[in-house]
Amino acid sequence: MISALRGSVLSVAGGTAVIDVGGVGFSVAVTPRHALTMRVGAETTVLTTLIVREDSLSLFGFPDQDSLEIFSLLVGVTGVGPKSALGVLAEMTPGEVALAVAREDDAAFRKVTGIGPKTAKLIVVSMAGKIAARPFDAPDASAGKASPSRLVRDNVERALVGLGWPERNAAAAVDDALESATPADAANVQSLLRLALAVLGPAQNTGGSR
């Protein structure tokens, strides 16, 4: 079993990253928002799980233990394959998944491509007793100003720097974005990145100030 990879990023595109570990390139399926945190040539550590099928061996990678555990629970649900499970994590954070299960909100899962109404209900029922044992960082609907985890904030700032903005501009944009972000947006790298990009305006690769 390959449980983790640590090495330099050879390539990253869409939902696939190739990581060089000791001269061997491992192709790993990741979510788009996870891919945004990677830069070619930079070192990365990815938690992985190996899915074995009759005709294939596939590696799926995750930025943290919570995401890996949610993925493992999802693929244990009848009708949910690894691609659909990764699709859930592309749309929802581990905390959002936990909150949806706790609220019996199967509509949240129906938004994911490839998951129909019956499977969405089955996810809620199957995971109800399992996910409650883990204190996932679910968004707090009663909170005032949104407050992201350090991991989410760092990932968004790194993505902005990778797109050409100076670190101070990236940090300021995230602060501004959080003023209007919902708790769910603040817990989601892709959503918070989109809000920060809206604050920054048109892309600039010269490092000019906002």
Side-chain angles (χ1 to χ4, degrees):
M1 177 66 71
I2 302 174
S3 300
L5 296 175
R6 180 179 181 182
S8 82
V9 179
L10 290 179
S11 67
V12 58
T16 302
V18 179
I19 302 173
D20 179 10
V21 181
V24 178
F26 290 86
S27 179
V28 187
V30 296
T31 64
R33 68 166 171 258
H34 187 187
L36 281 172
T37 68
M38 300 181 184
R39 282 182 282 179
V40 174
E43 186 172 280
T44 188
T45 298
V46 179
L47 301 181
T48 61
T49 186
L50 179 65
I51 302 296
V52 180
R53 294 288 186 262
E54 290 184 3
D55 58 350
S56 67
L57 297 173
S58 302
L59 271 176
F60 291 81
F62 310 92
D64 52 61
Q65 188 64 33
D66 281 352
S67 298
L68 175 58
E69 290 187 24
I70 289 292
F71 178 86
S72 298
L73 289 173
L74 284 167
V75 295
V77 176
T78 301
V80 179
K83 290 184 179 179
S84 294
L86 197 65
V88 171
L89 288 170
E91 297 293 334
M92 305 167 70
T93 66
E96 288 168 340
V97 172
L99 192 61
V101 171
R103 292 177 174 175
E104 299 183 355
D105 179 18
D106 59 282
F109 298 103
R110 294 202 303 269
K111 297 175 183 178
V112 179
T113 301
I115 293 182
K118 290 183 179 180
T119 303
K121 289 182 182 296
L122 193 56
I123 288 174
V124 171
V125 172
S126 299
M127 295 178 64
K130 301 172 184 177
I131 205 169
R134 285 276 297 142
F136 292 101
D137 185 20
D140 183 357
S142 67
K145 179 180 176 181
S147 178
S149 69
R150 185 72 250 177
L151 177 63
V152 170
R153 186 184 182 100
D154 286 349
N155 285 344
V156 173
E157 290 183 10
R158 279 199 297 269
L160 291 172
V161 171
L163 290 171
W165 279 279
E167 290 184 8
R168 73 175 187 280
N169 296 58
V174 173
D175 285 337
D176 289 347
L178 286 170
E179 292 295 332
S180 59
T182 64
D185 285 336
N188 185 299
V189 172
Q190 194 170 6
S191 297
L192 187 57
L193 177 61
R194 184 169 58 249
L195 291 173
L197 286 170
V199 170
L200 287 164
Q204 53 182 320
N205 296 315
T206 58
S209 58
R210 291 187 293 119

